Amino acid sequence: MPNLQSSVLVIGGGISGIQASLDLTKLGFKVYLVEIKPTIGGAMAQLDKIYPTLDCSLCILAPKMVDIYRNPNIELFTYSNVKNIRGSAGDYTITIIRKPRYIKEDLCKGCGDCGEICPVRGIPSEFDTHLKTRGAIYMPFPSSVPPIYLIEESKCLYLNYRICGLCAKACKPEAIDFLQKPEEIDLKVGAIVIATGYIQEMPDVYDSFAGSSPNVFSSMQFERLLSANGPTGGQIIRLDDKKHPHSIAFIQCVGSRDVHHPECKKYCSAICCMNSAKEAIVVKEHDPSIDCYIFNTEVRAKGKNFYEFIEKSKNEYNVKYVNGHVSYIKENLDNGKLKLYYEDIDKGKVGTFEADMAILASALSPPPSYHELLRKLNVGCNNLGYIHETDIILLEKKNIFVTGYSRKPNDIQMAVAEGSACAAKISEILYHVRFQNIKKLKYPPEIPVKLEDEPRVGILICQCGINIGGIVNVSEVVDYVSKLPYVVHVEENMYSCSSDSQERIKELIIKYNLNRFIVASCTPRTHEQLFKNTLREAGLNPFLFELVNIRNQDSWVHQNEPKKATKKACDLIRMYLAKVINLKPLETIKVKVEKSTLIIGGGIAGITAAYNLANQGFEIYLVDKKSFLGGVALEFIDLYYIPITKNEILKEIKDLKNKSNVHILLNSVIDDIQGYVGNYQVKVKNIHDNSKNKTFNVGTIIVATGTKQIKTSRWVNLSERYPKRLLTQTELTEMKDADVPEFKDATIILCVDQRRNEFNTGDNIKTYCSNICCGVALKNIEKLLNINHNAHIHILYREFQFSDLNAENLWRRLRKKVTYERYRSIDDIKICDENDNFHIVYYNVGAQINIEYNTDLLILATPKVPVDDTEQLAKLLKVSTNTNGFFLEADAKLRPIDFATEGIFLCGGAHWPKWIGETITQAYGAAGRAAIIMAKGEIETECITSYINEEKCIGCGKCIEICPYNAIELVEIYKEMGLYNISVRKARVINAVCKGCGACIVECSVGAIDQNHFSKFQINKMIDLLPSLDAMDYEIV
Amino acid sequence: MQWIMKLFNLGGLILLKIKKKVKSEFEPNILVFCCNWCSYAGADLAGVSRFQYPPNIRIIRVMCSSRVDPTFVLRAFNNGIDGVLIIGCHMGDCHYMKGFEYTQVRMVHLKNLIRYIGIEADRFQLHSISASEGKQFSELIKDFTKKIIEFGELKIPKKSGIFELEYNCTKK
Ligand code: FES
């Protein structure tokens, strides 16, 4: 075995790289994160909002970026490049070139004095997609990580002509160093992760789309335009005449899905349809009077709740979808509008349209650095510009992993899951050397804070760019707040979440000897943890902190009433001040974690997770209802679009059976689950044999229950009459070639009773898209053509939903043999039987007429639903499901494989129907997330729990009845009563189980229970201080 | 414990010395309790989507609506707060499974009590907002504020006595 290195190189600091890095450090590896740009964050940092949650993109990304920056086990190399890679799997030597920033990283405070004084102006800013300008010395964007400046060499007057040098004089910490040279650094790593992301290029086809017009934007440019910290401060205006547009046209598939034009990409970029829908919704929310038109060939909404999102944009926001491909755009010089020429598919003619603004959803592709990297690794790429799937497997054997957009076009959710998956795989390979190179987070000793101590409160008020400062008069708030009692120091700043602000908080705490802290900024839901960590680093108990929400719940919602918004901010801070001075320091409790996992579902997801975790040395309990492992994947005759074969899966199952730390429980269902993260007691019941029932303890749980295809009531009379010739897709897939009945003409109908809008939901009619039917249909066509080469095959579709590169290729290839026919609504299709044949009548969208024909084999793509006992399992696990019955993840984008409940993870079809490739990725991801909890062997529990005052408790047991988590128990204690010892019953909270809802407190009739951090006294104080004390409102009598 | 007393007095003392100016326009004080998981997130979403609503509300975040003690509501009215709103998750969506059900049962009683004291019962309401209902949140606040403005300033009927009682037992 070669000398294994306990560190990992991650190339690319976008969301996928960030996720991989964070997970890797928690699994016990040192990470070197190399990013070619001066800041990490990638494309996600540039986005305004994310779909389908419409969360602010930077808001949820920034805490992760700061996490990277503060993690002692991540060494960050920004503005750096990989020069070469030597060595072999497990022991690579990497040479990195760090380009000179001409700034000493450790001295720069990011104050911006240098940027202000720099005489060079008008350089287009890359971050703002050339819509904004900057100087020669600049920071890419306000919350860059690292938060420091750099000098662009080619533009700097001093570096080129030896004149100027003003910045060096302006810089107080003397951080500017004109003598810096490129640095070469050698790193030793055991594995490599490639996560270089995408860029949006402007190919030459743009000329035909009036690309040079100031009112034509790429989708990323428009994203910056919408963003509050973008070039127009979030205002939607035409850049030439500064007028508000009345109509905006979004043009899909610009420079992509085009096989003829050499400049164009042949594949679908996967995210543009959703992205445009999101942008249109954001526009509508800014100003409902703007008309949004989306010109598309077909809408591809491939993801959980994505189709519903598109429907929402149509129905709730009145975004209009025009079915047609735009061929070119001309500027109309008379009225300054843009004239679009497009093929109107619905009307079957060429149409024109005038819009004030056009947004081009142009192709996304891997950056040049990606191809350079592949060249260094000696692997080629396919004609689409991506690595071959087979090469990915090959690279994985060499401990090199490809994730995110570098693997194939995909959205943030998959990028995150893949990041976690890479971490899990690396943890499996380098299992022997983990924790060897890791630095422990060392916190300074906690400053003891007693309740009697006079509170000394520090307050930081955030401007959040112009988000808060543009409406709330922050300096007035500072003025007001500084006069309140116990407030020692108040300060305003630009971005409280930035890493320099964290340093500032620490400084303040020490300088003013503070023992409580308040930050008034955005929402605690995203940022509380960040500040709590900062407090702890400064030596203060993290629970002596409150975050006051003056952005989401103040400045953003009172944009027209700046005076009142300011007053509200004052009031809120005053209320939270009342709470914060009454806060108590809380201690976390460490709980031992069982190093074992329960995996529910032995399909491909379950097997993959089990295999990975078993190799990491954890104990596995794999439970499946069926009598064999392998799930639907083994029932299928063929596996689609993935470079693994059925034999490989069978081998994996066999390996799994031979492992001593894997317990496989077949024919079994979960009977009961008790306990909490780190310590679940599981009872498993064998369906046939009660003596095989088992009880065991596990630390984490992975849910991998999968999906199944159902039959709907549509054409039920036909399927009863011809059970052999009217099949669902799954039935055909599972059928051996010989069993397929003879046919001359076969028809596959897609979207049967799925992707319907909510008005026609009924029994088994679904609103969502089952994701895989289109791709499966293509494979089924291949299968049918194999059986009967001369058969005529129709495929009736609404919109093809694959963005998979292979599926797209197959679709093109099959075009010669199959007729793709587009229908409008499933209700338009009428089928009856005629001389033992199916007679189909439907309205064809392309031809604009009713078409009739006979067919003798009918295959339906009916919805995929979660397996039967999902609801029941959700109850046992105390997790929730969404309206479609699928398990609900913690966050659609950044925590796609976690449940809100800690210690339980989700993968595969239980999340949403998906391809085997995606299932495997998610399974690895879930395994990695589970391993993070178990790797250390202990976790820290919640602090916000209930506690019971034993003196007051009368042992009535009311709280026990009401507690949804069984977190309260009755204990018998002995009390001295004069001469006698009598036993009394008292309630007691089990800290590790208590989730801190507080329901018991109100139930207690003697007031014996209270909650940490939300105590009765604290909330009462807040209520007392709510009535406005604004001096303006009162007069002294 | 001196400092606790100091702050405790902050509200009371100042109010003793000064009197509220009679203003032409009535600006109600409204207290809103939001649970951390759904309604607070909904309120955040209203912000993210820039749905505007009147700036009279002050939100107190609690982990679950079931944490809201009826005495909080009474105390608020006693402090002259003109309206109180409790917003939880939708039925069945509560992060703690049953919390919202408990709240509903409790608040029915509370509402009766409030009516009994002689305060308009609609000055106190219980609602559900999910994390994705930013629009609904702003609508709800708009409606509620309008209603409170219609009711006008809160006048606590004298001699109800219930408040003194409540005060004493929560004084700590
Ligand atoms: S968590 Fe929202 S009501 Fe319980």
Side-chain angles (χ1 to χ4, degrees):
Chain A
M1 195 187 269
N3 190 10
L4 287 182
Q5 297 292 336
S6 173
S7 40
V8 180
L9 174 75
V10 178
I11 306 169
I15 181 64
S16 196
I18 287 177
Q19 182 69 30
S21 307
L22 289 175
D23 279 8
L24 276 166
T25 54
K26 287 185 199 139
L27 285 166
F29 301 97
K30 178 160 182 88
V31 173
Y32 301 105
L33 180 55
V34 178
E35 166 64 51
I36 195 161
K37 295 208 199 95
T39 172
I40 59 169
M44 194 177 163
Q46 289 174 281
L47 300 179
D48 177 39
K49 299 275 159 57
I50 49 166
Y51 58 84
T53 48
L54 288 179
D55 277 342
C56 156
S57 177
L58 191 62
C59 301
I60 57 171
L61 177 69
K64 286 204 177 227
M65 287 163 62
V66 176
D67 269 358
I68 292 265
Y69 189 54
R70 298 146 67 91
N71 195 318
N73 293 308
I74 297 177
E75 219 170 297
L76 191 56
F77 298 96
T78 47
Y79 213 34
S80 308
N81 219 340
V82 175
K83 187 178 172 202
N84 62 38
I85 298 173
R86 279 157 290 139
S88 59
D91 189 9
Y92 285 107
T93 308
I94 317 280
T95 311
I96 285 178
I97 305 185
R98 188 196 283 213
K99 284 185 265 176
R101 279 175 177 262
Y102 301 103
I103 303 253
K104 291 183 192 138
E105 290 202 13
D106 43 342
L107 291 182
C108 178
K109 292 271 179 295
C111 64
D113 290 348
C114 52
E116 255 163 55
I117 209 160
C118 179
V120 184
R121 292 282 139 179
I123 306 170
S125 145
E126 292 85 359
F127 180 79
D128 279 303
T129 52
H130 298 202
L131 294 177
K132 222 178 175 176
T133 57
R134 58 166 172 85
I137 183 162
Y138 69 105
M139 191 170 355
F141 64 101
S143 15
S144 299
V145 167
I148 50 178
Y149 274 69
L150 75 154
I151 298 178
E152 188 172 343
E153 199 184 311
S154 61
K155 299 281 163 28
C156 175
L157 295 177
Y158 187 86
L159 289 170
N160 288 297
Y161 312 108
R162 303 281 141 192
I163 48 171
C164 183
L166 283 174
C167 48
K169 282 178 208 128
C171 181
K172 296 205 184 76
E174 296 181 356
I176 292 173
D177 176 6
F178 288 117
L179 301 174
Q180 266 185 4
K181 290 268 153 342
E183 231 182 308
E184 282 198 12
I185 302 154
D186 277 350
L187 304 172
K188 287 203 154 286
V189 296
I192 300 170
V193 177
I194 299 176
T196 47
Y198 66 76
I199 50 167
Q200 192 169 32
E201 269 180 331
M202 303 281 228
D204 284 349
V205 292
Y206 274 57
D207 291 347
S208 50
F209 289 102
S212 53
S213 157
N215 300 320
V216 175
F217 301 93
S218 73
S219 53
M220 190 53 104
Q221 282 179 324
F222 192 55
E223 204 75 48
R224 293 309 306 147
L225 206 66
L226 291 175
S227 171
N229 60 357
T232 58
Q235 284 204 54
I236 307 166
I237 45 173
R238 284 158 56 95
L239 284 193
D240 53 356
D241 51 16
K242 305 276 181 269
K243 275 197 200 130
H244 286 268
H246 297 295
S247 62
I248 300 181
F250 293 83
I251 294 135
Q252 300 304 110
C253 304
V254 175
S256 55
R257 295 183 60 196
D258 186 340
V259 276
H260 307 298
H261 201 293
E263 292 273 345
C264 292
K265 307 288 178 229
K266 295 179 179 59
Y267 54 86
C268 163
S269 301
I271 59 174
C272 322
C273 286
M274 285 299 289
N275 207 39
S276 294
K278 170 197 75 186
E279 283 167 1
I281 287 183
V282 175
V283 168
K284 282 281 189 187
E285 278 179 355
H286 273 262
D287 181 357
S289 69
I290 301 177
D291 289 327
C292 293
Y293 295 86
I294 298 184
F295 290 84
N296 61 298
T297 26
E298 55 194 357
V299 179
R300 289 188 172 174
K302 198 183 98 49
K304 191 178 184 178
N305 292 342
F306 286 7
Y307 183 72
E308 283 101 325
F309 186 79
I310 298 277
E311 285 294 300
K312 184 166 129 187
S313 74
K314 285 183 199 166
N315 302 332
E316 276 175 41
Y317 291 91
N318 201 12
V319 174
K320 303 200 182 69
Y321 284 76
V322 181
N323 208 338
H325 197 81
V326 175
S327 48
Y328 64 102
I329 301 177
K330 260 196 198 154
E331 276 187 275
N332 188 342
L333 296 176
D334 298 339
N335 55 7
K337 289 196 170 199
L338 299 160
K339 195 160 189 188
L340 279 64
Y341 294 83
Y342 68 102
E343 167 204 8
D344 193 330
I345 297 178
D346 285 336
K347 297 208 184 89
K349 57 172 193 196
V350 174
T352 58
F353 181 81
E354 280 202 331
D356 291 327
M357 236 186 201
I359 318 300
L360 310 182
S362 56
L364 309 176
S365 57
S369 61
Y370 169 77
H371 296 119
E372 208 175 293
L373 204 61
L374 294 190
R375 235 170 286 132
K376 280 171 194 152
L377 292 169
N378 247 338
V379 294
C381 40
N382 55 21
N383 59 347
L384 303 174
Y386 285 87
I387 311 189
H388 290 287
E389 295 259 328
T390 42
D391 279 343
I392 289 181
I393 301 282
L394 201 78
L395 283 178
E396 281 176 9
K397 294 218 171 85
K398 294 194 207 162
N399 290 7
I400 299 173
F401 300 90
V402 191
T403 152
Y405 221 91
S406 306
R407 195 183 176 95
K408 64 175 189 195
N410 239 331
D411 76 329
I412 294 169
Q413 174 205 320
M414 254 341 253
V416 171
E418 273 172 11
S420 292
C422 286
K425 283 185 187 167
I426 290 170
S427 173
E428 184 183 336
I429 302 161
L430 302 178
Y431 157 63
H432 293 286
V433 290
R434 70 176 175 204
F435 288 115
Q436 276 185 6
N437 215 346
I438 229 88
K439 265 191 245 153
K440 261 248 156 142
L441 258 188
K442 269 219 195 74
Y443 288 126
E446 229 177 76
I447 308 166
V449 176
K450 283 198 230 82
L451 256 188
E452 300 82 66
D453 298 349
E454 167 105 8
R456 297 176 62 80
V457 186
I459 301 181
L460 198 63
I461 300 169
C462 181
Q463 303 249 15
C464 199
I466 55 156
N467 281 308
I468 294 170
I471 289 131
V472 172
N473 185 340
V474 174
S475 46
E476 202 175 291
V477 179
V478 170
D479 230 39
Y480 171 82
V481 170
S482 59
K483 291 193 191 109
L484 293 175
Y486 307 115
V487 177
V488 178
H489 183 77
V490 191
E491 193 170 289
E492 59 184 282
N493 75 344
M494 206 57 186
Y495 286 99
S496 298
C497 52
S498 67
S499 32
D500 57 320
S501 298
Q502 309 311 310
E503 294 307 314
R504 180 73 189 148
I505 292 174
K506 283 191 240 172
E507 246 175 70
L508 288 178
I509 289 174
I510 291 160
K511 189 168 162 204
Y512 293 100
N513 190 17
L514 303 175
N515 57 17
R516 305 282 197 288
F517 210 90
I518 291 180
V519 175
S521 61
C522 43
T523 164
R525 289 175 60 253
T526 53
H527 285 71
E528 195 173 32
Q529 201 50 45
L530 172 78
F531 294 117
K532 280 186 169 174
N533 287 347
T534 308
L535 246 66
R536 186 63 199 84
E537 277 169 27
L540 213 54
N541 187 290
F543 288 90
L544 299 172
F545 169 80
E546 272 299 327
L547 206 159
V548 185
N549 192 334
I550 59 166
R551 190 188 68 185
N552 294 35
Q553 295 175 3
D554 188 8
S555 68
W556 276 355
V557 286
H558 311 311
Q559 283 172 327
N560 308 324
E561 293 161 297
K563 270 241 166 74
K564 289 179 184 168
T566 308
K567 183 163 166 281
K568 183 173 177 181
C570 294
D571 285 358
L572 284 172
I573 297 174
R574 186 182 62 233
M575 283 164 71
Y576 276 90
L577 178 67
K579 180 174 179 188
V580 89
I581 58 170
N582 287 305
L583 288 177
K584 277 190 286 187
L586 301 175
E587 285 308 320
T588 49
I589 317 160
K590 292 214 168 91
V591 179
K592 223 184 115 255
V593 171
E594 294 279 341
K595 292 201 169 196
S596 54
T597 303
L598 164 70
I599 298 175
I600 307 168
I604 188 111
I607 295 170
T608 312
Y611 200 75
N612 178 276
L613 284 171
N615 282 342
Q616 294 189 50
F618 300 113
E619 199 91 0
I620 308 295
Y621 296 89
L622 186 55
V623 177
D624 200 300
K625 227 171 19 186
K626 295 200 186 117
S627 57
F628 60 94
L629 288 182
V632 279
L634 282 196
E635 289 167 14
F636 283 5
I637 300 299
D638 246 333
L639 295 182
Y640 301 150
Y641 309 121
I642 47 162
I644 65 166
T645 59
K646 233 160 100 170
N647 282 342
E648 275 171 295
I649 297 177
L650 286 172
K651 193 176 151 277
E652 209 162 79
I653 293 174
K654 211 158 126 208
D655 277 2
L656 213 53
K657 284 185 182 149
N658 290 337
K659 283 194 197 309
S660 60
N661 56 347
V662 178
H663 312 272
I664 296 172
L665 309 169
L666 296 174
N667 296 320
S668 304
V669 290
I670 308 292
D671 195 25
D672 188 35
I673 297 179
Q674 289 298 333
Y676 45 91
V677 53
N679 201 344
Y680 286 103
Q681 294 94 41
V682 183
K683 270 194 208 131
V684 172
K685 192 169 79 190
N686 194 298
I687 309 173
H688 308 306
D689 185 356
N690 270 342
S691 67
K692 283 190 185 154
N693 289 359
K694 232 181 155 164
T695 314
F696 48 87
N697 288 3
V698 292
T700 52
I701 299 174
I702 294 177
V703 179
T705 46
T707 54
K708 60 166 193 182
Q709 189 158 31
I710 47 163
K711 284 203 169 169
T712 64
S713 51
R714 197 172 288 274
W715 301 311
V716 74
N717 53 339
L718 290 177
S719 72
E720 271 162 14
R721 211 165 317 150
Y722 309 101
K724 276 265 153 58
R725 286 181 23 219
L726 197 153
L727 306 168
T728 63
Q729 289 231 64
T730 315
E731 282 170 340
L732 180 66
T733 326
E734 285 171 9
M735 217 175 249
K736 289 206 185 72
D737 284 4
D739 296 343
V740 177
E742 237 178 73
F743 63 96
K744 283 204 201 74
D745 188 303
T747 301
I748 299 181
I749 304 179
L750 294 177
C751 304
V752 176
D753 289 334
Q754 38 183 336
R755 309 209 310 142
R756 312 292 324 264
N757 56 28
E758 51 217 272
F759 311 117
N760 36 28
T761 44
D763 201 22
N764 281 342
I765 296 181
K766 303 292 176 196
T767 52
Y768 58 91
C769 161
S770 295
N771 186 17
I772 62 173
C773 323
C774 301
V776 172
L778 297 182
K779 282 291 177 181
N780 275 338
I781 291 171
E782 261 195 332
K783 177 176 177 161
L784 293 175
L785 284 174
N786 258 345
I787 300 168
N788 180 356
H789 209 70
N790 299 320
H792 196 174
I793 296 173
H794 306 261
I795 174 160
L796 265 54
Y797 72 101
R798 276 168 60 195
E799 278 148 329
F800 283 117
Q801 291 297 323
F802 36 73
S803 57
D804 187 284
L805 307 179
N806 294 324
E808 190 114 6
N809 278 342
L810 183 58
W811 170 75
R812 277 212 183 90
R813 225 178 40 237
L814 287 174
R815 204 144 54 167
K816 300 194 183 82
K817 299 181 190 139
V818 181
T819 37
Y820 296 124
E821 297 165 40
R822 190 161 179 177
Y823 71 88
R824 198 157 43 190
S825 155
I826 192 76
D827 297 328
D828 289 351
I829 303 179
K830 304 268 177 308
I831 305 178
C832 52
D833 57 338
E834 204 178 270
N835 325 326
D836 254 13
N837 264 345
F838 299 115
H839 181 74
I840 300 183
V841 187
Y842 78 100
Y843 179 77
N844 187 309
V845 176
Q848 314 248 325
I849 44 168
N850 276 332
I851 286 190
E852 298 182 33
Y853 67 95
N854 284 354
T855 191
D856 43 20
L857 184 65
L858 199 57
I859 292 127
L860 306 181
T862 47
K864 295 216 151 218
V865 297
V867 291
D868 299 333
D869 35 15
T870 300
E871 245 349 278
Q872 202 186 336
L873 190 59
K875 277 221 182 76
L876 281 176
L877 292 166
K878 304 191 180 94
V879 298
S880 27
T881 51
N882 71 4
T883 43
N884 297 327
F886 290 102
F887 283 107
L888 187 67
E889 64 276 32
D891 180 274
K893 280 286 166 186
L894 292 190
R895 290 177 70 195
I897 41 189
D898 300 13
F899 276 109
T901 315
E902 238 183 298
I904 311 183
F905 304 94
L906 170 67
C907 59
H911 170 259
W912 192 58
K914 52 176 61 68
W915 289 106
I916 290 181
E918 291 169 355
T919 301
I920 292 176
T921 305
Q922 275 204 339
Y924 274 117
R929 304 288 297 164
I932 287 174
I933 290 182
M934 299 185 290
K936 279 215 193 91
E938 59 176 23
I939 46 153
E940 292 173 349
T941 61
E942 292 274 341
C943 288
I944 301 175
T945 53
S946 291
Y947 60 90
I948 295 173
N949 182 343
E950 235 165 51
E951 293 282 283
K952 282 190 183 170
C953 177
I954 52 169
C956 66
K958 259 193 191 167
C959 47
I960 297 172
E961 259 168 52
I962 205 171
C963 179
Y965 297 98
N966 304 326
I968 307 179
E969 55 187 358
L970 265 189
V971 288
E972 212 131 295
I973 61 164
Y974 289 92
K975 235 182 169 185
E976 243 173 74
M977 283 280 218
L979 285 177
Y980 304 100
N981 263 355
I982 57 161
S983 96
V984 282
R985 293 195 308 161
K986 299 279 172 188
R988 184 178 289 165
V989 177
I990 314 166
N991 269 328
V993 189
C994 179
K995 292 260 186 291
C997 62
C1000 50
I1001 306 161
V1002 186
E1003 202 63 18
C1004 183
S1005 44
V1006 291
I1009 316 182
D1010 213 338
Q1011 188 176 19
N1012 286 325
H1013 215 67
F1014 289 94
S1015 79
K1016 204 175 231 174
F1017 188 72
Q1018 288 158 1
I1019 297 180
N1020 275 340
K1021 287 293 112 189
M1022 291 176 83
I1023 297 171
D1024 286 349
L1025 288 196
L1026 187 152
S1028 181
L1029 297 177
D1030 194 339
M1032 304 267 289
D1033 293 351
Y1034 297 94
E1035 58 188 347
I1036 297 171
V1037 284
Chain B
M1 286 294 182
Q2 237 183 9
W3 58 268
I4 297 182
M5 291 308 296
K6 221 156 98 189
L7 193 92
F8 188 77
N9 287 339
L10 181 77
L13 271 182
I14 299 176
L15 279 175
L16 278 182
K17 281 193 206 136
I18 53 181
K19 198 182 93 200
K20 198 165 185 182
K21 268 187 200 166
V22 190
K23 280 212 280 187
S24 50
E25 206 184 318
F26 169 52
E27 286 287 342
N29 280 321
I30 296 171
L31 172 63
V32 180
F33 287 100
C34 280
C35 77
N36 186 42
W37 305 96
C38 293
S39 46
Y40 197 86
D44 276 350
L45 182 69
V48 172
S49 339
R50 312 291 195 282
F51 295 130
Q52 308 292 307
Y53 54 78
N56 299 79
I57 61 157
R58 310 287 179 261
I59 296 178
I60 292 184
R61 180 173 66 111
V62 285
M63 292 314 273
C64 173
S65 65
S66 63
R67 170 69 191 95
V68 181
D69 205 314
T71 61
F72 293 160
V73 180
L74 294 177
R75 194 183 184 100
F77 284 134
N78 191 37
N79 284 353
I81 292 166
D82 305 293
V84 181
L85 201 53
I86 301 179
I87 314 181
C89 309
H90 277 283
M91 204 62 178
D93 276 0
C94 173
H95 185 76
Y96 304 98
M97 292 174 302
K98 282 205 205 137
F100 190 70
E101 286 169 41
Y102 298 149
T103 316
Q104 265 198 332
V105 176
R106 287 169 190 160
M107 296 313 155
V108 171
H109 296 310
L110 179 61
K111 214 162 176 145
N112 285 336
L113 181 62
I114 288 172
R115 195 177 293 125
Y116 175 75
I117 297 169
I119 297 175
E120 294 90 340
D122 273 354
R123 283 188 190 266
F124 162 71
Q125 289 179 17
L126 174 68
H127 286 277
S128 299
I129 292 286
S130 86
S132 55
E133 293 179 336
K135 182 101 209 152
Q136 283 85 335
F137 183 86
S138 80
E139 292 300 320
L140 172 63
I141 300 299
K142 268 187 219 161
D143 290 349
F144 189 71
T145 314
K146 216 171 106 201
K147 186 140 227 172
I148 297 299
I149 291 177
E150 270 168 30
F151 281 139
E153 211 164 325
L154 175 79
K155 288 182 199 72
I156 304 173
K158 286 213 177 83
K159 277 202 292 181
S160 64
I162 195 135
F163 291 122
E164 282 89 74
L165 188 83
E166 187 271 331
Y167 243 123
N168 286 338
C169 66
T170 51
K171 225 175 198 168
K172 196 177 183 184

